[in-house]
Amino acid sequence: MKIAVDAMGGDYAPAAVVEGAVLAWREFGVESILVGAPARIEAELSRLDARSLPLEVREAAQAIDMGETPSRALKNKPDSSIRVAIRLVKSGEAAAVFSAGDTGSAFASALYELQRLKGVIRPAIAALIPTLKGFSVMLDVGANLNPKPQQLFQYGIMGSVYTEAVLGKDRPTVGLLNVGGEDTKGTESLKEAHHLFNRSGLNFVGNVEGNTIFQGIPDVIVCDGFSGNVALKVSESLSEMFTSLLRDEVQHSFRSKIGYMFLQNGIKSMRRRTDYSEYGAAPLLGVDGLCTIGHGRSNPKAVKNAIRTTADIVKKDLNTRIQAELDKHVSIQRSGEVGWRLWNQIRTGLFHGSSQESPGKEDS
Amino acid sequence: MKIAVDAMGGDYAPAAVVEGAVLAWREFGVESILVGAPARIEAELSRLDARSLPLEVREAAQAIDMGETPSRALKNKPDSSIRVAIRLVKSGEAAAVFSAGDTGSAFASALYELQRLKGVIRPAIAALIPTLKGFSVMLDVGANLNPKPQQLFQYGIMGSVYTEAVLGKDRPTVGLLNVGGEDTKGTESLKEAHHLFNRSGLNFVGNVEGNTIFQGIPDVIVCDGFSGNVALKVSESLSEMFTSLLRDEVQHSFRSKIGYMFLQNGIKSMRRRTDYSEYGAAPLLGVDGLCTIGHGRSNPKAVKNAIRTTADIVKKDLNTRIQAELDKHVSIQRSGEVGWRLWNQIRTGLFHGSSQESPGKEDS
């Protein structure tokens, strides 16, 4: 099994990416195909004394620049490193692809090259977030800013399969991220998704709020890509903020300094438990082929862990299981589509042009 | 100066609310008018040995129940404790009103009884969130789930005045919460708001992401009520999660236990710096009269601090300053409205019924 790696994607590419791939081979025995500018990749391999390792280098004529819009990159750069890497999955040369490059471009490229699984409206990015009980899965965290209820429903199905397969949780609990626990809260899209989940075979626990996430409730948090992205980034910076604050407090007294010294291992272990770079990769669920995305800031350690996580997911035969679960729920989803269309027609007729709505009762 | 307090609002009302009001008098000398069921309020006052304090009790014939929708409560309970309390502000008997009851109902009641400041499209709830540099102001955190660009613009203006007045920051920086730093990121509503801010007299610093919030950048975080609510609740539960994790780590070794003992004061002080109940009240900005909202879970300490915060805001003559700043920016806001209408017409013509959009490029 080989993982195609977009060597040119990420803030510290290609250096950090190539180093991560070398570490993934050395520590876990995972083979990568490094895709990008051969001269630059080989220079990094030489630097790391890794020319003799079984890491292939594959040329890509182009690389996507920071700030390039996904649609422009898709149109103008058919041979970007991410596209070439994804095509290795399509051709079967690689079992999966990993990129720490621009999320939007990776998403658009994967969609274009690999297509969606049957029936999937839009793929979603599923991230792991640290909780008191280990990790939960949150999706979507950035692919779709305004999903329809049927999309949210599919996120729940795909996220549930992913959590079961990768975190080993049996019948994971699924919740909708909302601004209140009651069924009447949130956008119309959330309320309709709530109905769909209620009728599904999933272990649905209803609405959850931002403060329950860290208690590890539920296992799968379903949300739109905007608030998911915000929640993820807030949670990523937690451990940073807390160790900073603690270090700050320690300066105030000699007694605290001693305490900090003694507690240092505990603090380090706590940081590790809440560190995104321990996993490093978020899969794009719903694409016909396995594609994982890393943080733009990924350092070699994060890339290494991301490649390992990607290889782990490959072994779980995720897409076959997702497809089966989606097929099982297709009639519930369709019933929702009829209701949703009807509601939108009524709404357009009743409220067109109206701007005053009650809080907690607005529509997407 | 007296603060009208909704004695029946909150998970632990009236006990926690009455106790908080008693503490606010005893510790800060702030006088409250307790609004609700007189017998129940007086029983609490007796329990606290506080019958002789200068705290007035005012009867309200109704109380809003948990889970009652704001629109239903507004229609069916004209004499709910929150409505009667708000009317005390309207009549001038109280300088401001505080409630820890249902946010939606408090919002709807304030809007109905007090009306909006001139030109305000919709009021917003402004919350303080802990950062490495102290506190930042985030708005909206739950009043409007899908604000228009002009609303986001007004949030920035109101939040800027509030931050200057209450946190004493000079020309506070204002940023838009988004999924990326580039101007091209986010919903159409965010992109349009970005243009409006760029042309304003505010100290606008562009888009900010969830992970910069804790660094105290920017002073004022402008966002829609949904993601603001999520971010606020996530940040509220941080200190809880971190002390739990740390306590957990400490169990593993004797060495760590000693460290924790020595560090306890530092940890306590850190918790205090990140504890929402140290402020306890979020003002509803844009309403013609001062109304603050507390956490449903508010304990006596949180209520006490909320009443003090409310009294502090009263002294700042906030609404006069907000009105002046809104008036100053009215032409920029109007220019945005024309553009926004035009864009919506074009969009309706071009994309009506289309559901496939690129990630990071969707519309609200």
Side-chain angles (χ1 to χ4, degrees), chain A residues 107 122 143 146 179 209 214 233-234 237-238 241-242 245 248-249 269-270 273 356-357 359 362-363, chain B residues 107 122 143-144 146 179 209 214 233-234 237-238 241-242 245 248-249 259 269-270 273 356-357 359 363:
Chain A
F107 181 89
R122 290 272 282 180
N146 281 303
V179 295
E209 296 183 70
F214 295 123
K233 283 178 180 156
V234 164
S237 56
L238 303 193
M241 165 159 164
F242 268 76
L245 279 175
D248 200 31
E249 288 299 335
S269 152
M270 183 187 82
R273 278 170 65 185
Q356 297 300 321
E357 295 162 71
E362 295 178 41
D363 180 43
Chain B
F107 182 90
R122 289 273 281 180
N144 304 291
N146 281 302
V179 295
E209 296 183 69
F214 294 122
K233 282 180 181 157
V234 165
S237 56
L238 301 196
M241 164 158 164
F242 267 77
L245 280 176
D248 199 30
E249 288 300 335
S269 153
M270 183 186 83
R273 279 170 65 185
Q356 298 300 321
E357 294 163 72
D363 179 41

Side-chain angles (χ1 to χ4, degrees), chain B residues 20 43 46 59 71 88 98 107 119 128 133 159 195 214 222 248 285-287 299 302 329 336 354 358:
Chain B
S46 297
E59 179 168 7
S71 53
L88 293 177
F98 166 74
F107 182 90
L128 293 171
K133 289 201 211 154
H195 289 308
F214 294 122
V222 173
D248 199 30
L285 300 181
V287 165
N299 57 20
H329 285 91
S354 146
S358 316

Side-chain angles (χ1 to χ4, degrees), chain A residues 174-253:
Chain A
V174 178
L176 269 172
L177 187 63
N178 206 331
V179 295
E182 305 86 350
D183 295 14
T184 54
K185 291 276 183 173
T187 60
E188 289 305 327
S189 183
L190 280 169
K191 281 186 251 178
E192 177 61 25
H194 203 284
H195 290 308
L196 293 175
F197 278 116
N198 267 336
R199 292 157 55 204
S200 76
L202 301 173
N203 192 0
F204 182 58
V205 296
N207 291 334
V208 294
E209 296 183 70
N211 49 350
T212 65
I213 295 177
F214 295 123
Q215 291 154 25
I217 305 167
D219 298 315
V220 182
I221 303 141
V222 173
C223 56
D224 69 274
F226 194 95
S227 43
N229 190 282
V230 167
L232 178 72
K233 283 178 180 156
V234 164
S235 81
E236 273 174 10
S237 56
L238 303 193
S239 67
E240 232 167 285
M241 165 159 164
F242 268 76
T243 31
S244 278
L245 279 175
L246 203 56
R247 217 178 287 126
D248 200 31
E249 288 299 335
V250 164
Q251 303 311 317
H252 296 328
S253 83

